[in-house]
């Protein structure tokens, strides 16, 4: 081998690659380092969407297309490092959905799971497998995989929420299914609050089985209750140096995350909080609920106001600061990573 000159070897290799390419073969040694980088490598970039900038576009869309025609009138929050791919992180989709007074968004079901985090307005409802729940700002609402769902706004004001879906994850497995309901609005089969009464009071009807498989049977976690828990937690214990007081939404039937693919969290930062940096392998989407502060994500600094959305890529260091008492909602693909033994966090 030592007798073959380097340029000749280079040429011979290229020639070999060209011939094997026709047979759908490629040399691993040319891509090995990209395939298994030393640390997470992602096209996902830190990004901030100011609600005050996004809202006018959403309202203009409200004049140009109805929720019925659009099926879902949503502005996709596209990660600037992955434009055109309809995703906010490598694994998750997010968007801002508007439903105007008097509108309905027709019923369908799909194997992708969805969450809604209510950003503005009250009085719209979402229906999940025959039960309606009314939306209020700060509520965390789940549409479990393969459940019929439609939305309506019988109220008097526009309602906007952030959608989060596991579209990419389901796509990775090639397990996508979708079906329209035969009517635009599904019939109401249970009284409002039925799921909360059955599963949300630390009680369980004898013999009850999980109505939504691996997803929490509670599909609306009202903000009033989350906020109360945060306030009480803050009275009695010191904040975590990175996360403040942070809680995860639970599935009461399993004690695990509320959704099988997506974890959701709510956290409170005290006035004047200056957090320590922390990174984790789950790229995370945040929605600002109350307060004001900043998020330092890698080299970027985002000034935060209520209703803003920002994204922290996998393994990007995050430091949170709060000028006033601040509440953040967030979601990520952590349950998938935990199930596979992949999730890591590093403080400092
Ligand atoms: C969907 O079904 C909803 O039901 C929202 O509100 C956003 C984005 C992609 C695919 C399906 C909804 C969606 C979606």
């Amino acid at each position: 081998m030592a007798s073959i000159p380097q340029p000749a070897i280079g040429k011979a290799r290229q020639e070999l690659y060209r011939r094997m390419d026709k047979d759908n073969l490629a040399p691993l040694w040319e891509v090995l380092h990209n395939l298994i980088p030393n640390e997470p490598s992602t096209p996902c970039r830190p990004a901030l969407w100011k609600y005050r900038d996004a809202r006018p576009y959403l309202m203009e869309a409200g004049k140009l297309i109805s929720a019925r025609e659009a099926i879902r009138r949503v502005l996709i929050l596209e990660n600037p490092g992955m434009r055109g791919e309809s995703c906010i992180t490598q694994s998750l989709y997010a968007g801002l959905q508007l439903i105007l007074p008097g509108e309905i968004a027709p019923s369908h079901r799909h194997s992708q799971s969805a969450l809604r985090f209510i950003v503005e307005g009250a009085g719209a409802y979402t229906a999940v497998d025959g039960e309606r729940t009314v939306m209020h700002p700060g509520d965390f609402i789940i549409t479990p995989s393969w459940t019929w769902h439609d939305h309506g706004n019988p109220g008097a004001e526009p309602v906007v929420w952030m959608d989060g879906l596991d579209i990419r994850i389901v796509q990775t497995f090639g397990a996508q299914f979708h079906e329209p309901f035969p009517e635009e609005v599904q019939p109401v089969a249970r009284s409002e609050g039925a799921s909360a009464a059955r599963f949300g009071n630390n009680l369980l009807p004898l013999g009850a089985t999980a109505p939504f498989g691996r997803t929490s049977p509670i599909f609306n976690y009202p903000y009033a209750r989350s906020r109360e828990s945060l306030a009480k937690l803050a009275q009695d214990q010191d904040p975590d140096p990175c996360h403040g007081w942070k809680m995860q939404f639970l599935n009461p039937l399993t004690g695990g995350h509320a959704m099988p693919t997506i974890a959701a969290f709510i956290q409170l930062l005290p006035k004047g909080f200056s957090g320590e940096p922390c990174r984790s392998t789950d790229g995370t989407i945040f929605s600002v609920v109350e307060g004001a502060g900043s998020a330092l994500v890698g080299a970027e600094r985002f000034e935060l106001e209520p209703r803003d959305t920002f994204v922290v890529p996998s393994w990007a260091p995050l430091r949170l600061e709060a000028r006033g008492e601040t509440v953040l909602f967030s979601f990520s693909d952590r349950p998938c990573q935990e199930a596979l033994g992949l999730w890591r966090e590093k403080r400092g």
Side-chain angles (χ1 to χ4, degrees):
M1 287 297 287
S3 63
I4 305 176
Q6 281 301 312
I9 285 200
K11 223 177 129 205
R13 284 180 186 170
Q14 292 305 323
E15 217 271 317
L16 170 64
Y17 303 165
R18 193 182 50 72
R19 278 184 287 122
M20 67 168 79
D21 181 73
K22 291 202 283 288
D23 287 311
N24 302 312
L25 292 164
L28 171 64
W29 57 88
E30 295 289 343
V31 294
L32 188 58
H33 294 294
N34 285 342
L35 288 183
I36 44 168
N38 294 344
E39 289 204 342
S41 154
T42 170
C44 176
R45 296 217 297 257
L48 170 70
W49 290 264
K50 297 298 291 180
Y51 190 67
R52 94 164 91 89
D53 295 334
R55 189 182 191 279
Y57 295 126
L58 200 48
M59 296 303 154
E60 200 179 329
K63 294 200 175 83
L64 296 178
I65 191 163
S66 67
R68 183 181 268 110
E69 189 193 348
I71 314 262
R72 297 295 184 264
R73 190 202 288 113
V74 181
L75 300 188
I76 303 172
L77 299 163
E78 288 213 323
N79 191 283
M82 291 176 285
R83 292 305 312 274
E85 295 182 46
S86 302
C87 54
I88 190 160
T89 67
Q90 264 166 284
S91 61
L92 293 171
Y93 160 101
L96 291 173
Q97 180 159 178
L98 167 67
I99 187 155
L100 292 166
E103 288 194 311
I104 59 111
S107 194
H108 68 176
R109 65 177 175 179
H110 38 72
S111 49
Q112 294 84 356
S113 297
L115 67 79
R116 331 276 169 198
F117 185 71
I118 316 311
V119 170
E120 177 188 337
Y125 68 83
T126 188
V128 171
D129 273 357
E131 184 180 330
R132 288 185 181 180
T133 190
V134 174
M135 302 171 162
H136 303 275
D139 291 355
F140 161 56
I141 297 178
I142 302 172
T143 306
S145 170
W146 208 239
T147 54
W148 296 113
H149 57 283
D150 47 74
H151 320 300
N153 186 353
E157 55 194 44
V159 174
V160 177
W161 63 83
M162 177 174 63
D163 290 310
L165 283 90
D166 57 6
I167 293 174
R168 276 281 186 118
I169 298 169
V170 179
Q171 184 185 28
T172 292
F173 295 116
Q176 313 98 316
F177 293 93
H178 165 264
E179 199 181 349
F181 193 74
E183 295 145 47
E184 278 191 328
V185 180
Q186 65 177 308
V188 173
R190 280 189 307 282
S191 53
E192 195 179 325
S195 294
R198 284 174 203 203
F199 300 103
N201 277 342
N202 293 316
L203 289 165
L204 183 65
L206 291 194
T209 50
F212 306 135
R214 294 183 182 221
T215 306
S216 172
I218 304 170
F219 69 100
N220 187 348
Y221 294 74
Y223 186 58
R225 296 185 67 171
S226 317
R227 189 67 183 84
E228 187 186 356
S229 288
L230 287 174
K232 204 74 195 151
L233 193 65
Q235 275 176 14
D236 299 329
Q237 71 181 63
D238 291 336
D240 177 271
C242 298
H243 306 300
W245 295 282
K246 187 166 181 176
M247 305 181 94
Q248 72 187 61
F249 290 94
L250 278 190
N251 176 345
L253 297 183
T254 63
H257 295 291
M259 303 170 72
T261 49
I262 305 179
F265 307 91
I266 190 102
Q267 75 197 97
L268 175 67
L269 309 174
K271 180 174 156 58
F273 184 73
S274 178
E276 290 175 11
C278 182
R279 53 174 75 186
S280 62
T281 50
D282 51 331
T284 304
I285 300 95
F286 288 83
S287 180
V288 183
V289 194
E290 297 178 30
S294 6
L296 294 99
V297 189
E300 308 253 7
R301 182 188 185 92
F302 299 143
E303 295 304 326
L304 307 176
E305 296 168 280
R307 299 172 172 159
D308 290 349
T309 307
F310 65 98
V311 60
V312 180
S314 163
W315 217 235
L318 168 67
R319 228 165 63 64
L320 292 168
E321 294 175 351
R323 276 199 302 284
E325 198 174 53
T326 295
V327 179
L328 303 174
F329 169 82
S330 59
F331 70 98
S332 77
D333 63 12
R334 192 175 301 184
C336 300
Q337 297 203 28
E338 286 176 344
L340 301 172
L342 294 171
W343 187 75
R344 291 196 201 186
E345 181 182 58
K346 190 171 161 205
R347 288 162 179 258

